[in-house]
Amino acid sequence: MDAYAQLQQCLAEFHQGWNERREYKIRTSGGLEIRVEAIRHPSLIRQLNTFQGRVTARAERGAPNGPGSRPPSSLDALELLHEINTALTAWQPVTVCESADPDDTRACLRAFRDLRRRARWLLGYDPPTTLLDGHVCDHCGGALRVATDWSTDIRCAGHPDTPPCGTEYSRWQLAVDHIKELIP
Ligand SMILES: [Zn+2]
């Protein structure tokens, strides 16, 4: 898929929503059976518009509000909506033009992927992530991103001017490699 098609797919999540395939298991007389259901999610813009704030388990326990530990509020959602609207206006010449400069299309895709990542985190689809210091992607040399609580595997985050190559690394493998380095 070229950058323009990826951009249209990304923008569709902001405007139209997206489908997610979810597998779940049920117990039948014949044992465990895997069922598949398709879930339709409303657009990110609509979800941000109706977002009422989120209470995390950590906030409920009364932990101090360290960086990143404060649960997102409806005001955060409004601020992000404002940023999305500004980006949609600023990038409009690129988002509606298939023959735009490829560099512009890639920069635009990066901007909207970043907004999508923040929206998904705010709405609770994904955990907050951080860039991993001291490691790069074996395939493309890009930066690597992981959940701040290490609840996800490590994903390629690409370079400033190239999108992620899609490679994922097991966080357990990284831990094992790290331990091996410590042993002479
Ligand atoms: Zn990569």
Side-chain angles (χ1 to χ4, degrees), residues 1-2 8 13 17-18 20-21 23 39 48 53 56 74 80 86 97 106 122 125 128 135 137-140 149 172 174:
M1 204 190 312
D2 67 11
Q8 295 310 312
E13 290 188 24
W18 68 97
E20 187 191 350
R21 212 179 99 100
E23 285 186 359
I39 306 159
L48 287 169
T56 64
S74 54
L80 188 55
T86 307
C97 175
R106 279 195 292 272
L122 195 147
Y125 286 104
H135 295 275
C137 176
D138 284 344
H139 289 259
C140 71
D149 61 0
W172 308 119
L174 187 86

Short mmCIF file of all heavy atoms in Angstrom, two decimals, residues 1-2 8 13 17-18 20-21 23 39 48 53 56 74 80 86 97 106 122 125 128 135 137-140 149 172 174:
data_model
loop_
_atom_site.label_atom_id
_atom_site.label_comp_id
_atom_site.label_asym_id
_atom_site.label_seq_id
_atom_site.Cartn_x
_atom_site.Cartn_y
_atom_site.Cartn_z
N MET A 1 0.84 -1.19 0.00
CA MET A 1 0.00 0.00 0.00
C MET A 1 0.88 1.25 0.00
O MET A 1 1.80 1.34 0.80
CB MET A 1 -0.88 -0.01 1.25
CG MET A 1 -2.13 0.82 1.07
SD MET A 1 -3.06 1.06 2.61
CE MET A 1 -3.17 -0.58 3.30
N ASP A 2 0.63 2.17 -0.93
CA ASP A 2 1.47 3.38 -0.97
C ASP A 2 1.06 4.36 0.13
O ASP A 2 0.06 4.18 0.82
CB ASP A 2 1.46 4.02 -2.36
CG ASP A 2 0.10 4.58 -2.74
OD1 ASP A 2 -0.77 4.67 -1.86
OD2 ASP A 2 -0.09 4.95 -3.91
N GLN A 8 -5.16 7.68 3.51
CA GLN A 8 -6.62 7.64 3.42
C GLN A 8 -7.19 6.67 4.46
O GLN A 8 -8.23 6.93 5.07
CB GLN A 8 -7.07 7.24 2.01
CG GLN A 8 -6.71 8.26 0.93
CD GLN A 8 -7.12 9.69 1.31
OE1 GLN A 8 -8.23 9.94 1.74
NE2 GLN A 8 -6.20 10.63 1.15
N GLU A 13 -10.15 6.42 9.89
CA GLU A 13 -10.36 6.12 11.32
C GLU A 13 -10.80 7.38 12.07
O GLU A 13 -11.54 7.30 13.04
CB GLU A 13 -9.09 5.54 11.94
CG GLU A 13 -8.79 4.15 11.42
CD GLU A 13 -7.66 3.46 12.16
OE1 GLU A 13 -7.39 3.82 13.32
OE2 GLU A 13 -7.04 2.59 11.55
N GLY A 17 -14.55 5.69 11.32
CA GLY A 17 -14.45 4.56 12.22
C GLY A 17 -13.74 3.39 11.57
O GLY A 17 -13.24 3.51 10.45
N TRP A 18 -13.71 2.25 12.24
CA TRP A 18 -12.99 1.09 11.70
C TRP A 18 -13.56 -0.20 12.26
O TRP A 18 -14.27 -0.19 13.26
CB TRP A 18 -11.50 1.20 12.01
CG TRP A 18 -11.14 1.06 13.47
CD1 TRP A 18 -10.70 -0.07 14.10
CD2 TRP A 18 -11.20 2.08 14.48
NE1 TRP A 18 -10.50 0.19 15.44
CE2 TRP A 18 -10.79 1.50 15.71
CE3 TRP A 18 -11.57 3.42 14.49
CZ2 TRP A 18 -10.73 2.21 16.89
CZ3 TRP A 18 -11.51 4.13 15.69
CH2 TRP A 18 -11.09 3.53 16.86
N GLU A 20 -12.89 -4.05 13.74
CA GLU A 20 -11.88 -4.84 14.43
C GLU A 20 -12.39 -6.27 14.50
O GLU A 20 -13.56 -6.52 14.76
CB GLU A 20 -11.68 -4.29 15.84
CG GLU A 20 -10.53 -4.94 16.57
CD GLU A 20 -10.54 -4.56 18.06
OE1 GLU A 20 -11.32 -3.68 18.45
OE2 GLU A 20 -9.78 -5.15 18.80
N ARG A 21 -11.48 -7.22 14.22
CA ARG A 21 -11.82 -8.63 14.30
C ARG A 21 -11.38 -9.13 15.67
O ARG A 21 -10.23 -8.97 16.04
CB ARG A 21 -11.02 -9.35 13.22
CG ARG A 21 -11.67 -10.54 12.59
CD ARG A 21 -10.71 -11.08 11.55
NE ARG A 21 -9.97 -12.21 12.11
CZ ARG A 21 -10.27 -13.47 11.88
NH1 ARG A 21 -11.26 -13.77 11.08
NH2 ARG A 21 -9.58 -14.45 12.42
N GLU A 23 -11.24 -12.41 18.33
CA GLU A 23 -11.45 -13.84 18.56
C GLU A 23 -11.72 -14.08 20.03
O GLU A 23 -11.13 -13.43 20.88
CB GLU A 23 -10.18 -14.62 18.17
CG GLU A 23 -10.00 -14.74 16.67
CD GLU A 23 -8.82 -15.64 16.31
OE1 GLU A 23 -8.14 -16.13 17.22
OE2 GLU A 23 -8.60 -15.81 15.10
N ILE A 39 -16.22 -6.10 15.29
CA ILE A 39 -16.73 -4.96 16.06
C ILE A 39 -16.51 -3.71 15.23
O ILE A 39 -15.43 -3.51 14.67
CB ILE A 39 -15.97 -4.81 17.39
CG1 ILE A 39 -16.03 -6.11 18.16
CG2 ILE A 39 -16.54 -3.67 18.21
CD1 ILE A 39 -14.95 -6.22 19.18
N LEU A 48 -13.92 11.17 20.54
CA LEU A 48 -13.29 12.24 21.33
C LEU A 48 -14.33 13.29 21.72
O LEU A 48 -14.27 13.85 22.82
CB LEU A 48 -12.15 12.89 20.53
CG LEU A 48 -10.88 12.04 20.37
CD1 LEU A 48 -9.94 12.68 19.35
CD2 LEU A 48 -10.16 11.86 21.70
N GLY A 53 -13.84 11.46 30.00
CA GLY A 53 -12.74 11.26 30.95
C GLY A 53 -12.67 9.79 31.33
O GLY A 53 -13.63 9.05 31.15
N THR A 56 -8.46 5.51 35.71
CA THR A 56 -7.63 4.31 35.63
C THR A 56 -7.54 3.66 37.00
O THR A 56 -7.78 4.30 38.02
CB THR A 56 -6.21 4.64 35.15
OG1 THR A 56 -5.61 5.47 36.14
CG2 THR A 56 -6.21 5.37 33.82
N SER A 74 -11.90 14.99 29.84
CA SER A 74 -12.63 15.46 28.65
C SER A 74 -11.94 16.69 28.06
O SER A 74 -12.02 16.95 26.86
CB SER A 74 -14.08 15.76 29.01
OG SER A 74 -14.13 16.65 30.10
N LEU A 80 -7.09 17.70 22.06
CA LEU A 80 -6.65 16.84 20.95
C LEU A 80 -7.53 17.06 19.72
O LEU A 80 -7.04 17.11 18.59
CB LEU A 80 -6.66 15.38 21.39
CG LEU A 80 -6.04 14.36 20.43
CD1 LEU A 80 -4.61 14.74 20.06
CD2 LEU A 80 -6.05 12.96 21.03
N THR A 86 -6.95 21.41 13.47
CA THR A 86 -5.90 22.27 12.91
C THR A 86 -5.10 21.51 11.86
O THR A 86 -4.80 22.04 10.78
CB THR A 86 -4.97 22.76 14.05
OG1 THR A 86 -5.77 23.33 15.08
CG2 THR A 86 -3.98 23.78 13.55
N CYS A 97 -5.12 15.29 -2.38
CA CYS A 97 -4.41 15.31 -3.67
C CYS A 97 -3.51 14.09 -3.78
O CYS A 97 -2.47 14.01 -3.12
CB CYS A 97 -3.60 16.59 -3.78
SG CYS A 97 -2.60 16.64 -5.26
N ARG A 106 4.15 11.70 2.94
CA ARG A 106 4.71 10.92 4.06
C ARG A 106 4.71 11.74 5.35
O ARG A 106 4.41 11.21 6.42
CB ARG A 106 6.13 10.44 3.72
CG ARG A 106 6.14 9.19 2.83
CD ARG A 106 7.50 8.54 2.82
NE ARG A 106 8.47 9.38 2.14
CZ ARG A 106 8.70 9.35 0.83
NH1 ARG A 106 8.02 8.51 0.06
NH2 ARG A 106 9.59 10.14 0.28
N LEU A 122 -5.63 7.98 24.53
CA LEU A 122 -6.57 8.75 25.35
C LEU A 122 -7.89 7.99 25.53
O LEU A 122 -8.47 7.96 26.62
CB LEU A 122 -6.81 10.10 24.67
CG LEU A 122 -7.46 11.20 25.49
CD1 LEU A 122 -6.92 12.57 25.05
CD2 LEU A 122 -8.95 11.20 25.35
N TYR A 125 -7.73 2.58 23.98
CA TYR A 125 -7.49 1.43 23.10
C TYR A 125 -6.08 0.87 23.29
O TYR A 125 -5.86 -0.32 23.18
CB TYR A 125 -7.64 1.82 21.62
CG TYR A 125 -9.07 2.03 21.21
CD1 TYR A 125 -9.58 3.30 21.03
CD2 TYR A 125 -9.91 0.94 21.00
CE1 TYR A 125 -10.90 3.50 20.65
CE2 TYR A 125 -11.22 1.12 20.64
CZ TYR A 125 -11.72 2.40 20.46
OH TYR A 125 -13.01 2.58 20.10
N PRO A 128 -0.19 3.92 27.05
CA PRO A 128 0.77 4.96 26.64
C PRO A 128 2.11 4.33 26.30
O PRO A 128 2.49 3.31 26.89
CB PRO A 128 0.87 5.85 27.88
CG PRO A 128 0.36 5.02 29.02
CD PRO A 128 -0.60 4.04 28.44
N HIS A 135 18.27 1.25 21.60
CA HIS A 135 17.99 0.13 20.67
C HIS A 135 17.41 0.68 19.37
O HIS A 135 16.67 1.67 19.41
CB HIS A 135 16.98 -0.84 21.28
CG HIS A 135 17.49 -1.55 22.48
ND1 HIS A 135 18.23 -2.70 22.41
CD2 HIS A 135 17.38 -1.24 23.80
CE1 HIS A 135 18.56 -3.09 23.64
NE2 HIS A 135 18.06 -2.22 24.50
N CYS A 137 15.74 -0.63 15.31
CA CYS A 137 15.14 -1.74 14.56
C CYS A 137 16.20 -2.43 13.72
O CYS A 137 16.95 -1.78 13.00
CB CYS A 137 14.02 -1.17 13.68
SG CYS A 137 13.27 -2.40 12.63
N ASP A 138 16.27 -3.78 13.81
CA ASP A 138 17.25 -4.55 13.04
C ASP A 138 16.99 -4.44 11.54
O ASP A 138 17.90 -4.60 10.74
CB ASP A 138 17.14 -6.05 13.40
CG ASP A 138 17.79 -6.33 14.76
OD1 ASP A 138 18.55 -5.45 15.22
OD2 ASP A 138 17.51 -7.39 15.32
N HIS A 139 15.75 -4.21 11.15
CA HIS A 139 15.40 -4.22 9.73
C HIS A 139 15.64 -2.88 9.06
O HIS A 139 16.16 -2.83 7.96
CB HIS A 139 13.94 -4.64 9.55
CG HIS A 139 13.73 -6.08 9.84
ND1 HIS A 139 13.61 -7.03 8.86
CD2 HIS A 139 13.65 -6.74 11.02
CE1 HIS A 139 13.46 -8.21 9.43
NE2 HIS A 139 13.48 -8.07 10.74
N CYS A 140 15.23 -1.79 9.72
CA CYS A 140 15.32 -0.49 9.05
C CYS A 140 16.14 0.53 9.84
O CYS A 140 16.33 1.66 9.37
CB CYS A 140 13.91 0.05 8.77
SG CYS A 140 13.06 0.60 10.25
N ASP A 149 4.43 0.74 30.52
CA ASP A 149 4.39 -0.30 31.57
C ASP A 149 4.86 -1.65 31.03
O ASP A 149 4.69 -2.67 31.67
CB ASP A 149 2.98 -0.42 32.14
CG ASP A 149 1.95 -0.83 31.08
OD1 ASP A 149 2.35 -1.01 29.90
OD2 ASP A 149 0.77 -0.98 31.41
N TRP A 172 10.16 -10.14 25.83
CA TRP A 172 10.87 -11.18 26.62
C TRP A 172 12.22 -11.47 25.98
O TRP A 172 13.20 -11.67 26.66
CB TRP A 172 10.03 -12.45 26.70
CG TRP A 172 8.64 -12.16 27.18
CD1 TRP A 172 7.48 -12.39 26.51
CD2 TRP A 172 8.26 -11.52 28.41
NE1 TRP A 172 6.41 -11.95 27.25
CE2 TRP A 172 6.85 -11.42 28.41
CE3 TRP A 172 8.97 -11.03 29.51
CZ2 TRP A 172 6.16 -10.84 29.48
CZ3 TRP A 172 8.27 -10.46 30.56
CH2 TRP A 172 6.89 -10.37 30.54
N LEU A 174 14.05 -9.45 24.28
CA LEU A 174 14.94 -8.33 24.58
C LEU A 174 15.51 -8.48 26.00
O LEU A 174 16.69 -8.24 26.24
CB LEU A 174 14.19 -7.00 24.45
CG LEU A 174 15.08 -5.78 24.57
CD1 LEU A 174 15.69 -5.43 23.22
CD2 LEU A 174 14.32 -4.58 25.12
#
